[in-house]
Amino acid sequence: MIHAAGVAEVTDADFEAEVLGERGRPVLVEFTADWCGPCRQLAPVLSAVAAEQADRLKVVQIDADTNPDTVTRYGVLSMPTLIVFRDGEPVQQMVGARPKRRLLQELEAVTAPGPAVAATA
């Protein structure tokens, strides 16, 4: 698997605990594979996002070739596929490598602090 520095690896065995069980911050999961060229391009982007957004976003990778149960469960057909989970549910999916700025823009909705509750008079 192409490993992004500072990004944890999850497997079929611990996906539920590490991703679905995470509460309080969304989890960005990259489905990757050794043979995937665009995954190599995305690795430094994921490393940077993981470091910069650590307080608001958990970033993990899963090797699609060695974890077929999770790949099948979420219908992943292309690498890299990025799925954002919030409170155990997939809320956003992106396919393909992208520059850091674009990825951060796409993640804004899930990493932004929740809306403030409006005061009623």
Side-chain angles (χ1 to χ4, degrees), residues 15-40:
F15 190 85
E16 188 163 339
E18 294 295 323
V19 176
L20 304 182
E22 178 74 25
R23 297 294 183 255
R25 65 182 171 158
V27 182
L28 173 63
V29 180
E30 180 206 18
F31 290 80
T32 186
D34 282 333
W35 47 264
C36 170
C39 297
R40 281 183 188 71

Side-chain angles (χ1 to χ4, degrees), residues 1-2 9 12 31-36 39 62-71 76 79:
M1 179 178 93
I2 299 159
E9 180 179 353
D12 282 346
F31 290 80
T32 186
D34 282 333
W35 47 264
C36 170
C39 297
I62 186 165
D63 187 324
D65 291 332
T66 58
N67 297 283
D69 294 344
T70 304
V71 169
V76 174
M79 302 302 140

Side-chain angles (χ1 to χ4, degrees), residues 46-99:
L46 283 182
S47 294
V49 169
E52 292 173 17
Q53 301 288 319
D55 57 331
R56 295 188 290 180
L57 180 71
K58 179 177 180 179
V59 181
V60 299
Q61 294 177 289
I62 186 165
D63 187 324
D65 291 332
T66 58
N67 297 283
D69 294 344
T70 304
V71 169
T72 301
R73 180 176 181 181
Y74 294 102
V76 174
L77 301 174
S78 299
M79 302 302 140
T81 290
L82 303 166
I83 302 178
V84 180
F85 291 82
R86 182 185 288 281
D87 296 328
E89 296 296 324
V91 295
Q92 184 175 7
Q93 182 168 328
M94 300 159 277
V95 177
R98 58 227 325 111

